[in-house]
């Protein structure tokens, strides 16, 4: 073979890489990774995607590069002439919708319009930004997931469910005037990516309707949730994602949604409702604050939200990869959160504090050690205050859509297992600076305790 000629394997690899289907295996040296860690003061959240070999910090394309070339500008341009609201209604069934720049903008609008001080919001454990919007609007969160959600070792298939008995109790106690809505997250990130069953959303719907309280979804990872319903709820085993999603949404009155986790898009979210008056109020907020989207961004969003319904395998693939990695870790004795989730692998870290003192940031220390050894990044899972008080802590290794292949998963498994086995040797961290505000911890600086 002459110089420059490529083997078949190389050709296939290059073709896939050119299509953006897999990241090249380019790994910085150990010395460089050490310097990078020193440069970010051992805060792995600050290590950029480009400096990472396998980046499993987040599955959000808002925070990371899209794996594939953007939707062709032509198709995005064409689809911008089709109403985005119509596309959204067709896919999710809500009568009215507004596109916004990201999930938390939708959360802000919802809370601004409906929440008044002293109100309470029953929920099944929410994402940090969702929680803050309710709190900033003066409400109190009442966390009532099923009790298994707090047991990381329990194998129940639907640990994302809301406890419907407790929900009735909360409504009896506070009265419907004090409850602007019931908020249910799908594929609940805080408890370990667990799905909400169709049976549970139906029950929650019945209760909400009886008391005339809106039931609102955080539909951020609704497609992973739908995929797990198909796997775990017998009646749905032959249904398409579209059918499952439409039925699921039909039991709710509206949703807020970040589009950058389940769809190939780095900007976008939605707020949707079946109530015209409410929609008008949402529109008024958007008029004041803006939707943060260009015409082009709306066109891309239009094309992006249709894509996984026509190509279900991209969602199935991520659910399968999550399970593949989860199984490998489980078999090697790493304490994975049970059962497997659809969008990430979570590790129960309470054992780490036997080796690294709790005030020396055991989870962060683990992540530093792992990155140094392998170039892999994960994150501390963002749990709720209630979970924290129960002594729960987790690491999250998010599996972004279509970004990594099985070779990457094997590599990740090997290094997480090794790091877990080396946990006795991991050095703790000392915090040396954090800005005195809520978000300060995300930018905090640390030192290794030698
Ligand atoms: N809801 C959930 C369940 C989320 O996971 C996120 C973001 C949001 C809402 C907010 O959406 O980023 O578009 O404003 N999750 C990212 C993550 C950041 O890594 O889990 P956004």
């Amino acid at each position: 073979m002459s110089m420059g000629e490529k083997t078949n394997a190389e050709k296939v690899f290059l073709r896939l890489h050119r299509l953006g289907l897999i990241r090249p295996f380019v790994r910085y040296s150990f010395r460089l990774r050490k310097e990078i860690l020193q440069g970010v003061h051992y805060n792995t959240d600050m290590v950029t995607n480009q400096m990472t070999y396998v980046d499993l910090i987040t599955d959000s394309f808002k925070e990371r590069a899209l794996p594939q070339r953007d939707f062709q500008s032509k198709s995005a341009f064409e689809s911008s002439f089709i109403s985005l609201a119509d596309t959204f209604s067709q896919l999710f069934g809500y009568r009215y919708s507004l596109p916004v720049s990201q999930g938390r903008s939708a959360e802000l609008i919802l809370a601004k319009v409906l929440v008044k001080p002293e109100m309470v919001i029953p929920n099944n454990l929410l994402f940090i930004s969702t929680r803050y919007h309710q709190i900033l609007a003066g409400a109190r969160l009442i966390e009532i997931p099923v009790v298994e959600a707090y047991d990381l070792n329990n194998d129940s298939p639907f640990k994302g469910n809301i406890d419907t008995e407790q929900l009735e109790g909360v409504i009896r106690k506070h009265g419907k005037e004090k409850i602007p809505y019931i908020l249910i997250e799908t594929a609940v990130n805080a408890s370990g990516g667990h799905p909400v069953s169709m049976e549970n959303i139906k029950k929650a719907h019945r209760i909400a309707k009886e008391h005339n309280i809106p039931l609102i979804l955080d539909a951020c990872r609704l497609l992973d949730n739908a995929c797990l319903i198909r796997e775990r709820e017998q009646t749905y085993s032959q249904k398409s994602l579209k059918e499952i999603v439409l039925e699921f949404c039909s039991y709710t009155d509206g949703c807020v949604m970040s589009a950058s986790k389940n769809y190939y898009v780095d900007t976008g979210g939605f707020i949707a409702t079946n109530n015209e008056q409410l929609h008008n109020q949402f529109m008024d907020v958007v008029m004041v604050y803006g939707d943060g989207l260009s015409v082009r961004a709306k066109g891309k969003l239009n094309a992006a939200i249709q894509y996984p319904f026509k190509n279900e395998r991209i969602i199935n693939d991520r659910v399968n990869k999550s399970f593949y990695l989860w199984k490998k870790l489980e078999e090697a004795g790493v304490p994975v959160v049970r059962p497997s989730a659809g969008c990430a692998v979570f590790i129960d870290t309470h054992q780490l504090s036997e080796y690294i003192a709790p005030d020396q940031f055991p989870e962060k220390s683990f992540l530093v050690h792992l990155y140094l050894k392998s170039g892999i990044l994960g994150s501390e899972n963002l749990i709720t205050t209630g979970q924290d008080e129960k002594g729960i802590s987790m690491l999250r290794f998010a599996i972004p859509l279509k970004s990594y292949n099985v070779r990457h998963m094997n590599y990740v498994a090997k290094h997480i297992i090794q790091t877990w086995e080396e946990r006795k040797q991991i050095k703790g961290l000392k915090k040396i600076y954090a800005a005195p505000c809520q978000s300060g911890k995300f930018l905090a600086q640390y030192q290794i305790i030698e």
Side-chain angles (χ1 to χ4, degrees):
M1 202 164 42
S2 67
M3 281 269 289
E5 220 176 287
K6 299 193 169 44
T7 63
N8 273 343
E10 279 169 334
K11 278 184 197 155
V12 171
F13 179 80
L14 286 173
R15 190 163 54 82
L16 290 175
H17 176 48
R18 222 174 287 126
L19 286 170
L21 294 181
I22 47 174
R23 266 172 72 109
F25 261 54
V26 179
R27 189 150 60 117
Y28 288 177
S29 66
F30 180 84
R31 200 174 54 95
L32 203 48
R33 290 202 298 273
K34 206 168 165 185
E35 281 172 19
I36 289 168
L37 279 176
Q38 281 162 356
V40 298
H41 300 281
Y42 299 97
N43 183 344
T44 46
D45 290 340
M46 306 288 286
V47 178
T48 64
N49 186 242
Q50 291 78 5
M51 292 171 179
T52 312
Y53 190 33
V54 186
D55 181 359
L56 307 183
I57 279 197
T58 179
D59 57 345
S60 175
F61 295 128
K62 177 88 179 62
E63 323 279 339
R64 59 182 301 133
L66 281 158
Q68 203 172 12
R69 233 177 328 139
D70 254 346
F71 277 96
Q72 295 279 336
S73 49
K74 189 161 163 277
S75 72
F77 183 69
E78 279 167 359
S79 68
S80 70
F81 288 100
I82 304 162
S83 161
L84 185 48
D86 286 348
T87 307
F88 195 85
S89 287
Q90 269 173 31
L91 296 173
F92 302 94
Y94 299 113
R95 231 166 281 151
Y96 308 97
S97 68
L98 287 169
V100 287
S101 61
Q102 62 184 108
R104 53 203 91 178
S105 317
E107 294 159 7
L108 179 133
I109 297 169
L110 180 74
K112 212 169 178 49
V113 169
L114 286 171
V115 178
K116 307 267 173 306
E118 314 291 312
M119 286 184 154
V120 296
I121 297 168
N123 66 85
N124 63 338
L125 298 181
L126 301 172
F127 187 68
I128 184 167
S129 61
T130 328
R131 277 186 280 128
Y132 269 106
H133 281 300
Q134 321 304 316
I135 294 166
L136 289 172
R140 189 159 62 83
L141 293 159
I142 302 192
E143 295 179 347
I144 44 168
V146 286
V147 67
E148 308 89 271
Y150 295 116
D151 178 356
L152 307 191
N153 217 11
N154 182 303
D155 271 316
S156 283
F158 290 106
K159 286 160 70 175
N161 285 353
I162 194 160
D163 185 323
T164 46
E165 258 179 48
Q166 285 201 61
L167 179 59
E168 288 186 305
V170 169
I171 298 173
R172 259 198 314 276
K173 181 168 172 203
H174 295 276
K176 71 171 184 148
E177 293 72 26
K178 283 262 184 243
I179 305 176
Y181 43 79
I182 300 157
L183 199 41
I184 294 193
E185 185 180 311
T186 49
V188 187
N189 187 71
S191 56
H194 301 301
V196 177
S197 70
M198 194 70 87
E199 196 192 336
N200 186 250
I201 200 79
K202 247 191 243 182
K203 267 195 198 154
H205 165 69
R206 229 176 289 133
I207 296 168
K209 205 159 175 58
E210 193 185 314
H211 297 277
N212 202 17
I213 300 171
L215 176 57
I216 305 291
L217 281 186
D218 175 350
C220 175
R221 297 187 180 86
L222 178 56
L223 296 190
D224 307 301
N225 198 102
C227 212
L228 293 172
I229 285 180
R230 182 160 60 191
E231 273 182 18
R232 298 177 189 177
E233 230 171 333
Q234 188 62 45
T235 340
Y236 295 90
S237 63
Q238 300 303 317
K239 301 264 189 204
S240 67
L241 286 188
K242 191 167 177 195
E243 288 167 319
I244 297 176
V245 162
L246 271 174
E247 182 178 338
F248 200 90
C249 292
S250 76
Y251 300 125
T252 69
D253 300 291
C255 81
V256 286
M257 183 197 287
S258 165
S260 53
K261 286 67 173 164
N262 271 171
Y263 311 94
Y264 282 133
V265 72
D266 54 14
T267 305
F270 291 90
I271 179 158
T273 170
N274 288 324
N275 180 321
E276 187 179 2
Q277 199 190 341
L278 204 52
H279 175 65
N280 292 342
Q281 287 176 279
F282 293 161
M283 277 205 295
D284 283 352
V285 181
V286 170
M287 185 184 75
V288 177
Y289 291 94
D291 64 18
L293 294 168
S294 64
V295 171
R296 200 177 134 72
K298 285 180 191 162
K300 281 193 202 169
L301 202 48
N302 201 335
I305 57 173
Q306 297 175 59
Y307 189 73
F309 290 99
K310 294 178 190 154
N311 303 276
E312 289 195 358
R313 75 195 140 72
I314 69 155
I315 302 292
N316 292 335
D317 178 69
R318 117 148 153 166
V319 174
N320 293 342
K321 281 209 188 95
S322 302
F323 180 70
Y324 180 84
L325 178 58
W326 181 90
K327 192 78 195 145
K328 275 191 168 288
L329 298 183
E330 195 230 9
E331 281 170 358
V334 178
V336 281
V337 174
R338 308 180 74 89
S340 70
C343 52
V345 175
F346 297 81
I347 295 176
D348 175 358
T349 53
H350 84 271
Q351 281 181 40
L352 275 183
S353 50
E354 288 169 27
Y355 307 100
I356 309 161
D359 62 352
Q360 294 183 7
F361 306 96
E363 289 76 26
K364 281 201 161 41
S365 308
F366 185 94
L367 292 170
V368 163
H369 194 81
L370 177 67
Y371 177 75
L372 199 54
K373 289 270 170 152
S374 64
I376 297 165
L377 277 183
S379 64
E380 277 183 272
N381 195 30
L382 295 170
I383 54 171
T384 71
T385 319
Q387 286 174 294
D388 191 31
E389 283 163 9
K390 289 183 165 52
I392 291 173
S393 56
M394 291 177 228
L395 289 173
R396 182 183 80 169
F397 294 90
I399 315 284
L401 292 179
K402 222 168 176 171
S403 304
Y404 297 113
N405 61 20
V406 172
R407 270 167 76 203
H408 295 96
M409 292 301 114
N410 289 338
Y411 180 84
V412 171
K414 177 177 139 195
H415 283 280
I416 293 181
I417 292 165
Q418 250 174 38
T419 308
W420 186 258
E421 283 165 357
E422 288 166 9
R423 62 194 179 282
K424 289 183 191 144
Q425 294 138 43
I426 296 176
K427 291 175 181 151
L429 293 170
K430 179 176 159 200
K431 195 189 274 181
I432 51 171
Y433 174 74
C437 55
Q438 293 291 350
S439 49
K441 68 175 180 190
F442 297 109
L443 308 171
Q445 300 179 355
Y446 303 87
Q447 243 170 17
I448 287 196
I449 301 171
E450 293 295 346

